[in-house]
Each structure stands twice: as structure tokens, then as C-alpha cells.
Amino acid sequence: MEAVQNEKGQISIHTENIFPIIKKFLYSDHEIFLRELVSNAVDATQKLRQLASFGEFGGELGDLKVTVSLDEEAKTITISDNGLGMTADEIKKYINQIAFSGATDFLDKYKDKTDDKGQIIGHFGLGFYSAFMVAERVDIVSKSYRDGSEAVRWTCDGSTEFELSPAERADRGTDIILHIAPDSEEFLNKGRLQGILDKYARFLPVPVEFDEKVVNNTTPIWTKSPADLTDEDYKTFYRELYPMGEEPLFWIHLNVDYPFNLTGILYFPRIKNELRFQREKIQLYSRQVFITDEVKDVVPDFLMMLHGVIDSPDIPLNVSRSFLQSDANVKKINGYITRKVADKLNDLFNADRKAFEEKFDDIGLFIKYGILSDDKFWEKAKNFVLLKNTEGEFATLDEYREKVQANQTDKNDTLVLLYTSDRKQQDAYIESARRRGYDVLLMDNVIDAHFINALEQKLEKVHFQRVDADSLDKLIDKGLNNESVLSEADQTKLKDVFDQVLDNKMLNVSVEAQPVDELPVTITLPEFMRRMKDMSALSGEQSFYGNLPNTYNVVVNANHPLIGKILAEADADSQKSLVKQVYDLALLSQNMLTGSELTAFVKRTVAAL
Ligand code: ADP
Ligand code: MG
């Protein structure tokens, strides 16, 4: 081997000085310098282990490890490894030429692609040169594993000039010494470095030491075979990921190597009935290096509520988000995850129906969201998505059709599924429906308005009606007309009386012949309008339907004795107060009687007793 000569040289580059550019464009993410340098150090140890396994390195591997050290006085951060090291020629090749051309390529490509905040979109690695985001000078002291190698020092102050000289280093390996720039002194802080290592180095495959402690778990369970893991292992790992999290419901161990490489564990959390802001997120890794927890585009939207980790070297991490969206690998990964999740749910459903039902309040939201957003998911989920009725009984779509078909099919052969979105508020209506032997579904999940809409589109001749959307005879119109005890003329007269007394253009009064056991007056909210309003309320956006005022139908039961009494009442004032009273009762059972109207009603009722 040739001895190292003192040498000065130019890093070949057409930009006068690249480092100010690197700094400027990466300002939002300066801390990644540590991820890049530590993962280079990890790579160096793994390469050496590989060389040993090929028989190309016959020496002692020893305890392969990476050490990060901080010298606040000297204002340096040093990343050391006992990996394969570099000769002077290798430094010239890998650092001066290759790494650098990587950096220039990158900047050429992305310097114009900034978002509205002027930041480069997405995450990327600039590799070794990201060191210059925080350092005003970088030294490399390295000694190759090759027999007879001499240690070499490379120094660069952020200009395009570098210096190479002989150095002292007892053993093979590399030190990267960062002389931290004045504007980056925040990194000369133990807590700060610990935080960055906890984030990026937590599951690196080689021990990383900082402050005399190993910061990482080198064999996280997603790298192991599911056959070697117990439930307790999965739960323990969950707590490791999210120390504050509640115990997960169940999990899926992902493991593919063709046509792309992906491992990971997805946990189903207990989320109940909220589309809340996610505190715990899925973490994305590339060969155990943490990349991001913004997994949008890699994980299907509806699975963003899951927790856990995904590790794939095939996800292009060093590019912008818009690239991620169109990347074929990412699309495949997306499809794969969706399929795995659907299969897992299907297995759970088949293996233990009762346990599945018990979990349904938690997982129903995912399943419904999945059905809304992904047709492939629907194809599988239609077999296991459950409907729950007001009695707490569960049924699949097929089972439910079977159950209510005979009694809830209307004259047009449409199956009418009745539901409530609020069993307390709509109690009077639920009770009426059940009295006729109708089943009422509980649809009180935030996503249910949309879910119902989707089911109507996917299932043939199925229509959903909230129990208070119309009178029961109209909700499920079997074409059987109830005989009215009132004549046409009397009915018109009655409608006029109500219109006059109620005096409100938003109310639509009709007189119908209903069974005697129905209330004298019922308020109904037409299904379509109400559902559109509910859906737009969930989306949180201003919309045509959201801005429409509420209109109500007031259904007067021609067959109720009280209505007959109102019609027969000769005194106009008495008639008026009777109308008020039955109308207020209707409002009351729809929970719509409030404020001064309610007070007046109570006073009037007390006075009449
Ligand atoms: P990448 O890691 O993607 O190859 P980098 O810019 O991070 O790009 O590194 C460039 C090259 O420099 C590496 O491929 C490797 O050959 C060399 N290198 C960097 N750090 C080390 C190290 N600690 N030990 C040995 N070689 C290293
Ligand atoms: Mg690298």
C-alpha cells in the first residue's frame, strides 16, 4: 500500500459553493445530519460483517458498534464506528466524487421544487454532505480494514476545497468530526442529541452508544419471524413504541419480499367513535432507520388510524411527496397493506365471531372508512362488516337482509332499513317502529351518514330511512292504505287549522290516516335533506346542503281521537290551544321543544291539571 501523501484538491463542482445552498434548502430539517452520519457508520459496520461472511475479511470483528460523542468545549460532535474504514483513495472516490455528485444532482433536481413555505417538500437524505448543514468544518479520520492500511485525515471547511493528510488511528474504522457552526450550537446539547437519536436511531441494527449508554434496540420484533413471537412480545413492543398508549386490540405482522420488500407490524388501537387527531402515528423505517411518521401516500388513507411500524428499503425516501404519490412501488405497497388488513379482519371474523363482535365498536370505524374509500377493500369487507340494531344484536349484510326481508320490503320491492342516529332522542320513533315488528339499526358512528350512503349505492334495492324521516306507513310503503275516519273536507279543514295556528313556512303540514296507537301529531325530518346536511357537517366544509334551513314535516294523525276532538271544537281559542298542545307534544318527543316554548308548555300543562 502506498503511504498517504499530503494533498490539496478541488471538489469538482460547477457551483461556486454548494454548502450555502444545502443549508438554505434544508433548514427545516437540520437534525437529519445525525441520522445520515449514524446510518453511514452502521452501514460501514454491516459491510465489514458481510465481507467477513464472504471470507474477504479474516480479522476479528469484535463488538461492532457506533459511538456518538459530544465535546461542548471543543464544539464538536464525533460519530465513530469500527466498520470497514476508508483508504485515501476510497475517500477521494466515495466522498469527493460520489457523495458529492449525489448532493449536486439532488440540488439540481429539487431546488425549484419548493412548497409555499419555501421548503423542499418531503424528506430526503443528502448523505454525508448533510453534515455541512450544522458544521463549519468536517474532518474524517479513517483507517481501512485492509492489511497494512494507514490512517488518513480528510478536512473540508465547507468550501469546495479539501485537504488530505496522514493521521493517527490505532484501529480500523472511521471518525466523522463535526466542528459545529455558530448558528447551529443548539446541537451542542446532550438532551438535544439524545432526542434526535431516540427518534432516528431507536431501532438501528448495530448498537449506538451515546453518553455511555446504548440508545437502540437492535432487534425490534418486526425483523423477527411471527412464529417466534408471543402476544406478550407484540404488546411489549407496542408499549415501547407508544409508552402512553392504551393496549391495542390486535395486530398484523407484515412480511413480504416480493415484488417489493416490506416488513412491519400494524396495530389496531381502540378508537371508539372518533375520527380524532392521531397522536400516535405509524412510523416508517428504511432498514431500521427511522424516516418519518408522515406516512400519507404509503399507507391507505383509511388505515392512517392504525399504529405501528413499516420498514421498506423499496420506498423512495429521498424524494418529494408528489413523487411518492405516483410511484408504482408505493401504490403496490398500499394495495398490499389493504389486502393484508382485509384478510386479517376476515380471519378474525371467521375464527371467533363473538370476539369480533365485541371488538366491532372499535374496528367498525376502520372497516366503514375502508368501505367508503376502497372498492377492493369493500369486496372483502362486505362479508364481515356488521350492522348492529338497537337491541345490541349484530348481523352481516346478508344475515340482516334475510332477517328483515319479509317485513320490511315495500311495494316497489325495495328493502327499507330503518335506523336511528341517536337512540335517546329518537326513542318515540324507535318504539313505534318496533311495535310494528320492524328492526331498527343503530347508526350512531360519526361516519355512518356516509356509510349508509355508500351501502345504498353498493347494494341493490336497499334504502335507508331514519326512523323519524316520515310516518311509518310512508317509510315502508306497502301500498296498504289505512281507512280514514275523517272525510276529505274535514282533512282539508284540519290542515288549515294547523297551518293557521302554527304559522310557520318551514313546516309542511299533512293529514294522514294512521293507526290509532300512533301519536296525534308527529314531526318528521325528510331523509335525503337531513342526511346531506349530516354528511356535510362531518366534512366540516361549507356546502349547498349544509346551508339550507331545516324543514320539518308535521304529520297529523286523522284517526287519533284527540284530532277528532280538535276538529269538533267550536270555540276558536280552545281549538287553538289544543293544536298548540298536541304540536308541542310532538316537538317534545323529537327533543325539539326548548327554551321559552318549553317553559310555556310546562306552565300551560300544569294549569290544565
Ligand atoms: P450513501 O450512504 O447513500 O452511499 P453518503 O453520502 O451518505 O451516501 O455516503 C457516501 C459514501 O461514503 C458511502 O457510500 C460510503 O462508501 C462512504 N462512507 C460514508 N461514511 C462512511 C463511514 N463511516 N465508513 C465508511 N465509509 C463511509
Ligand atoms: Mg448515507
Side-chain angles (χ1 to χ4, degrees):
M1 282 252 167
E2 252 180 86
V4 176
Q5 305 286 314
N6 279 319
E7 185 179 339
K8 282 194 180 189
Q10 284 280 130
I11 295 169
S12 58
I13 176 131
H14 38 270
T15 310
E16 188 41 41
N17 196 338
I18 196 170
F19 303 110
I21 306 175
I22 291 178
K23 238 177 162 144
K24 178 164 176 262
F25 280 105
L26 299 184
Y27 64 83
S28 63
D29 238 0
H30 280 185
E31 63 179 30
I32 62 139
F33 77 92
L34 198 55
R35 173 186 85 189
E36 295 299 327
L37 299 177
V38 170
S39 58
N40 280 352
V42 166
D43 288 348
T45 59
Q46 289 190 313
K47 283 176 189 162
L48 186 68
R49 188 181 283 146
Q50 247 172 2
L51 288 171
S53 74
F54 298 152
E56 286 181 32
F57 172 65
E60 278 294 312
L61 280 178
D63 287 332
L64 294 173
K65 68 169 183 181
V66 174
T67 309
V68 176
S69 41
L70 168 68
D71 186 335
E72 280 160 89
E73 300 267 285
K75 302 195 171 171
T76 58
I77 297 170
T78 302
I79 297 96
S80 306
D81 65 73
N82 55 359
L84 83 177
M86 287 179 279
T87 62
D89 282 346
E90 283 167 337
I91 289 185
K92 282 191 249 174
K93 185 165 162 206
Y94 297 133
I95 300 294
N96 292 349
Q97 293 166 24
I98 296 182
F100 208 75
S101 68
T104 23
D105 277 359
F106 175 83
L107 285 175
D108 280 351
K109 226 163 146 184
Y110 291 104
K111 70 183 164 212
D112 300 328
K113 298 194 177 170
T114 57
D115 68 13
D116 48 9
K117 289 189 212 91
Q119 296 173 4
I120 288 183
I121 302 162
H123 292 258
F124 41 78
L126 259 189
F128 170 75
Y129 278 92
S130 63
F132 288 98
M133 293 193 297
V134 299
E136 57 187 0
R137 195 180 105 209
V138 178
D139 301 335
I140 301 175
V141 175
S142 193
K143 187 172 175 184
S144 167
Y145 73 98
R146 293 172 213 276
D147 289 337
S149 291
E150 285 186 47
V152 54
R153 173 186 300 270
W154 175 94
T155 297
C156 179
D157 65 0
S159 69
T160 50
E161 276 167 42
F162 68 89
E163 239 173 80
L164 267 178
S165 55
E168 290 294 317
R169 200 185 198 278
D171 301 310
R172 62 146 211 266
T174 304
D175 304 315
I176 307 287
I177 304 146
L178 308 179
H179 300 267
I180 299 299
D183 64 0
S184 297
E185 288 186 4
E186 53 170 301
F187 294 107
L188 293 170
N189 175 294
K190 209 158 97 178
R192 183 72 208 274
L193 290 187
Q194 185 71 51
I196 302 172
L197 291 170
D198 286 343
K199 180 168 168 188
Y200 293 102
R202 198 167 179 190
F203 297 114
L204 284 175
V206 172
V208 177
E209 243 177 51
F210 176 63
D211 199 24
E212 282 158 37
K213 286 188 292 284
V214 173
V215 301
N216 53 333
N217 165 1
T218 56
T219 51
I221 68 169
W222 79 80
T223 61
K224 299 180 186 171
S225 158
D228 299 334
L229 297 165
T230 65
D231 286 1
E232 204 39 53
D233 292 331
Y234 287 102
K235 289 181 192 167
T236 306
F237 183 63
Y238 186 82
R239 282 193 293 272
E240 192 178 339
L241 284 177
Y242 314 107
M244 300 311 202
E246 243 190 285
E247 187 159 294
L249 283 170
F250 53 89
W251 47 85
I252 302 173
H253 197 137
L254 306 167
N255 201 337
V256 253
D257 42 36
Y258 183 83
F260 46 83
N261 204 302
L262 179 102
T263 50
I265 297 167
L266 292 179
Y267 290 94
F268 280 72
R270 295 165 199 276
I271 49 164
K272 299 288 178 208
N273 195 1
E274 339 165 31
L275 283 170
R276 66 163 182 209
F277 171 74
Q278 270 323 98
R279 224 168 10 106
E280 335 269 36
K281 293 174 170 174
I282 296 176
Q283 303 177 356
L284 193 59
Y285 289 78
S286 177
R287 300 180 204 277
Q288 295 173 240
V289 183
F290 174 81
I291 303 300
T292 178
D293 53 13
E294 297 300 332
V295 293
K296 225 169 167 309
D297 306 326
V298 177
V299 172
D301 228 16
F302 76 96
L303 295 175
M304 296 283 284
M305 287 176 279
L306 300 187
H307 300 164
V309 296
I310 291 175
D311 188 334
S312 175
D314 293 335
I315 298 173
L317 296 158
N318 299 333
V319 290
S320 67
R321 171 148 297 164
S322 55
F323 184 82
L324 266 188
Q325 281 168 347
S326 59
D327 184 69
N329 256 335
V330 171
K331 284 216 179 84
K332 275 187 224 150
I333 288 171
N334 219 295
Y336 166 78
I337 294 175
T338 303
R339 204 164 62 242
K340 280 298 270 194
V341 168
D343 289 347
K344 173 75 181 188
L345 290 167
N346 199 45
D347 289 350
L348 285 171
F349 172 77
N350 289 326
D352 188 346
R353 169 79 179 251
K354 197 160 168 292
F356 188 80
E357 289 182 357
E358 278 161 9
K359 289 186 181 109
F360 200 78
D361 287 340
D362 286 298
I363 55 180
L365 187 56
F366 295 112
I367 298 178
K368 289 171 181 177
Y369 195 1
I371 287 174
L372 288 176
S373 51
D374 190 324
D375 281 339
K376 288 216 179 86
F377 185 78
W378 157 250
E379 282 309 314
K380 297 197 171 183
K382 65 184 176 193
N383 298 315
F384 57 72
V385 64
L386 296 179
L387 302 173
K388 184 184 184 179
N389 71 7
T390 52
E391 308 302 291
E393 297 160 350
F394 287 96
T396 62
L397 296 175
D398 284 346
E399 290 164 359
Y400 196 70
R401 181 190 285 275
E402 192 70 21
K403 175 176 175 178
V404 300
Q405 191 148 258
N407 200 21
Q408 293 181 211
T409 303
D410 74 6
K411 62 177 185 195
N412 301 318
D413 226 20
T414 297
L415 189 67
V416 181
L417 304 186
L418 300 179
Y419 70 95
T420 171
S421 58
D422 185 332
R423 60 191 308 168
K424 277 208 182 112
Q425 175 151 0
Q426 293 146 20
D427 183 71
Y429 301 84
I430 297 170
E431 211 250 339
S432 288
R434 293 197 55 83
R435 234 184 302 132
R436 297 207 190 177
Y438 294 152
D439 197 83
V440 179
L441 291 170
L442 194 58
M443 289 289 188
D444 58 357
N445 197 290
V446 285
I447 205 166
D448 278 335
H450 289 269
F451 177 57
I452 286 168
N453 228 42
L455 284 183
E456 282 180 352
Q457 283 159 26
K458 291 171 192 297
L459 303 172
E460 259 169 58
K461 295 211 129 197
V462 168
H463 189 54
F464 281 86
Q465 297 269 21
R466 202 166 87 175
V467 277
D468 60 349
D470 207 335
S471 62
L472 279 169
D473 291 310
K474 294 228 172 106
L475 283 181
I476 307 181
D477 186 354
K478 296 179 178 171
L480 309 166
N481 280 333
N482 287 314
E483 206 60 36
S484 175
V485 297
L486 300 183
S487 68
E488 290 281 325
D490 280 347
Q491 292 189 30
T492 312
K493 201 169 139 201
L494 197 56
K495 178 174 156 50
D496 288 346
V497 171
F498 269 82
D499 276 337
Q500 245 171 35
V501 177
L502 303 183
D503 188 29
N504 181 342
K505 289 207 175 54
M506 301 316 288
L507 300 178
N508 179 14
V509 177
S510 66
V511 179
E512 283 176 27
Q514 292 179 323
V516 211
D517 60 0
E518 297 292 346
L519 288 174
V521 175
T522 326
I523 311 274
T524 65
L525 287 78
E527 175 71 18
F528 180 74
M529 286 288 260
R530 199 219 71 248
R531 197 193 297 173
M532 291 302 142
K533 281 171 92 76
D534 287 353
M535 286 167 67
S536 77
L538 182 64
S539 76
E541 282 160 24
Q542 289 283 325
S543 78
F544 172 72
Y545 291 110
N547 290 327
L548 286 178
N550 287 316
T551 54
Y552 300 105
N553 292 336
V554 177
V555 184
V556 179
N557 183 359
N559 289 349
H560 198 283
L562 257 177
I563 298 300
K565 197 174 155 193
I566 289 174
L567 191 67
E569 180 58 59
D571 179 68
D573 280 344
S574 310
Q575 190 181 47
K576 187 175 170 183
S577 60
L578 275 172
V579 168
K580 257 323 250 160
Q581 196 71 0
V582 289
Y583 176 64
D584 281 354
L585 281 169
L587 285 176
L588 203 59
S589 67
Q590 178 62 293
N591 259 300
M592 283 164 58
L593 192 62
T594 54
S596 57
E597 297 284 313
L598 178 59
T599 314
F601 171 82
V602 171
K603 278 194 185 145
R604 230 185 311 128
T605 309
V606 170
L609 289 173

